Amino acid sequence: MFLVGEALIGKEPEIAHIDLLIGDKEGPVGTAFANGLTQLSAGHTPLLSVIRPNLPPKPATLIVPKVTVKNMEQAAQIFGPAQTAVAKAVADAVAEGVIPKEKVEEMVVIVSVFIHPEAKDYDAIYRYNYGATKLALQRAMEGFPDIEKVLYEKDRSTHPIMGFRVTRLWNPPYLQVAFDLVELAEVKRVLAALPDSDHLLIEVGTPLVKMLGIQVVREIRAIRPGAFVILDLKTLDTGNLEVRLAADSTADAVVISGLAPKTTLELSIKEARKTGIYSIIDMLNVADPLAVLKDLAVLPDVVELHRAIDNENSSHTWQNIPEMKALAKPDRKLLVAVAGGIRVDTVGQALAAGADVIVVGRAITRSKDIRDMAEQFLAGLKQTEIDQYRIMTDF
């Protein structure tokens, strides 16, 4: 048996974060238990948990401090409230049937304990570590989370210490606001006016990149730290290099021109996957976007059907969207974005044609009421906020 449990409970500075292993004495957990007890490390000395001196719980439990213990005050927190909290949680887990009573002599537990250097309240240290240890044990024995829970939560959840969500495009349709402005002050003004929405993406347009450079991505992050930011480089050559530059700038996605050679397109897509950002192929001025996609050995994450500003009197070419999406592999989506003169009254047509991302520029950024216009486009998506009705107690 080799089971893993984790739990976070409480408030700083007494907050408790527990990582634990539970398994057989004769297995890898037993080996790690023996090694931990015999191979000491300065500031991270493992110790047996005890309910009180001379009364360890069953299964035998080893505590490993995560934070370096630098003085006797910190040592007392480990050898006092944390030590007994972990032991009591293990004993109560047995009493309540979480750990089978008949197995306690066959198993051992290793508990990694976090105590903040500024923690003072022994009562809170005890209660938080007791609760976190008990919850982590229950999760370990139940195999929590199962893979379906992980896949459901991975794009919905936010780490509390990081403080913002890394947005992924799993819940289309989206509104992409294209910033083709060239003055940073104007960019900041428009950003501040845009509504907060899980379905709003920010595009750093090519004119803005040329004027201010890729560092503008960080300027946007300072105003909207959780935004999904697209860097429109319209890469035509040295695809892997430009994609790497986009990733280094903290962009979430990079735009490659569909006019680029096949080699450049494929290198760009592969580099985007390597760096964990989205690849977008912009089909601006490409005669047959479907043919370009069919010729690629690896597909982008998004294909953008882009009608040029200079050609906005021509009709949109959205008829091949279903065929494009059909090229995607079963385990990887191909999203389709549409751009070029889209208005509030044409959003429905774009969605009906199969569009996943509605790209809008001047209709929002040059609007007299930026927030109202963006909200009108968002309303046209008919999407609710991702977390609007979710109440999470264990995460």
Side-chain angles (χ1 to χ4, degrees):
M1 179 191 293
F2 185 101
L3 301 176
V4 178
E6 181 270 350
L8 176 73
I9 285 181
K11 297 180 179 179
E12 290 185 346
E14 285 75 26
I15 190 168
H17 182 240
I18 294 294
D19 300 312
L20 65 79
L21 299 174
I22 182 169
D24 301 320
K25 289 180 178 178
E26 304 301 323
V29 180
T31 300
F33 187 102
N35 288 338
L37 198 57
T38 57
Q39 299 178 15
L40 307 184
S41 173
H44 298 273
T45 302
L47 61 147
L48 290 174
S49 70
V50 294
I51 298 169
R52 61 168 173 75
N54 303 312
L55 183 61
K58 294 294 181 74
T61 302
L62 188 68
I63 296 175
V64 181
K66 294 182 186 180
V67 177
T68 303
V69 177
K70 297 180 179 180
N71 53 52
M72 289 306 297
E73 182 180 0
Q74 292 177 327
Q77 293 171 344
I78 288 286
F79 281 87
Q83 188 181 33
T84 191
V86 170
K88 280 277 288 180
V90 173
D92 283 348
V94 175
E96 296 170 17
V98 174
I99 299 174
K101 189 175 181 180
E102 65 275 12
K103 297 287 187 180
V104 296
E105 294 294 351
E106 302 172 15
M107 303 165 67
V108 289
V109 183
I110 301 173
V111 181
S112 185
V113 172
F114 171 85
I115 296 183
H116 196 290
E118 296 178 8
K120 301 292 183 184
D121 187 337
Y122 274 35
D123 186 78
I125 292 172
Y126 169 83
R127 294 178 188 279
Y128 291 159
N129 277 278
Y130 171 86
T133 302
K134 196 172 178 185
L135 181 57
L137 283 167
Q138 180 179 344
R139 288 173 169 176
M141 298 304 293
E142 293 177 352
F144 177 90
D146 61 36
I147 189 58
E148 293 305 321
K149 173 68 74 174
V150 173
L151 295 178
Y152 180 82
E153 290 290 340
K154 68 182 181 67
D155 294 320
R156 291 172 167 84
S157 299
T158 301
H159 196 289
I161 295 176
M162 189 166 75
F164 63 91
R165 177 189 295 117
V166 177
T167 302
R168 308 297 288 173
L169 305 183
W170 61 275
N171 190 33
Y174 294 93
L175 171 65
Q176 180 174 319
V177 181
F179 281 70
D180 289 326
L181 311 170
V182 293
E183 295 180 2
L184 184 57
E186 186 67 3
V187 170
K188 291 181 176 180
R189 184 186 72 84
V190 175
L191 281 173
L194 288 173
D196 290 326
S197 172
D198 294 319
H199 291 89
L200 191 149
L201 317 178
I202 304 296
E203 176 194 325
V204 180
T206 308
L208 183 56
V209 179
K210 289 180 177 180
M211 177 62 72
L212 300 178
I214 61 175
Q215 65 270 17
V216 73
V217 175
R218 296 187 185 275
E219 299 279 358
I220 292 171
R221 290 256 181 256
I223 300 171
R224 301 179 77 97
F228 187 97
V229 182
I230 300 160
L231 192 59
D232 187 0
L233 298 181
K234 288 192 175 64
T235 296
L236 284 163
D237 196 9
T238 61
N240 52 345
L241 173 59
E242 292 201 6
V243 171
R244 175 69 65 169
L245 291 174
D248 289 346
S249 77
T250 76
D252 295 288
V254 61
V255 179
I256 308 115
S257 172
L259 297 171
K262 176 184 176 182
T263 303
T264 300
L265 293 175
E266 291 177 346
L267 285 173
S268 299
I269 294 167
K270 290 176 181 177
E271 188 68 23
R273 291 189 181 185
K274 187 190 303 181
T275 55
I277 68 174
Y278 281 71
S279 56
I280 302 173
I281 294 184
D282 187 344
M283 294 298 182
L284 179 68
N285 295 329
V286 174
D288 191 345
L290 183 60
V292 171
L293 292 175
K294 286 182 175 180
D295 194 40
L296 294 175
V298 57
L299 290 174
D301 297 294
V302 183
V303 56
E304 182 174 326
L305 302 181
H306 191 167
R307 186 177 65 177
I309 291 175
D310 294 339
N311 292 329
E312 284 186 358
N313 291 327
S314 63
S315 60
H316 290 285
T317 55
W318 298 339
Q319 64 273 11
N320 290 330
I321 291 178
E323 291 179 77
M324 292 177 181
K325 290 187 175 183
L327 298 175
K329 304 295 183 184
D331 59 343
R332 197 173 188 100
K333 290 182 179 179
L334 175 63
L335 301 181
V336 176
V338 294
I342 297 176
R343 303 181 306 275
V344 170
D345 60 352
T346 57
V347 169
Q349 299 171 32
L351 296 177
D356 301 295
V357 182
I358 307 298
V359 184
V360 181
R362 293 161 295 155
I364 291 176
T365 61
R366 297 297 187 186
S367 171
K368 292 180 180 179
D369 190 334
I370 292 167
R371 177 175 291 273
D372 178 70
M373 184 56 66
E375 287 176 344
Q376 287 187 50
F377 275 100
L378 287 167
L381 302 182
K382 295 180 171 56
Q383 277 280 28
T384 58
E385 292 293 275
I386 294 168
D387 290 324
Q388 187 173 358
Y389 302 109
R390 302 176 74 235
I391 299 175
M392 305 304 296
T393 56
D394 281 350
F395 297 96

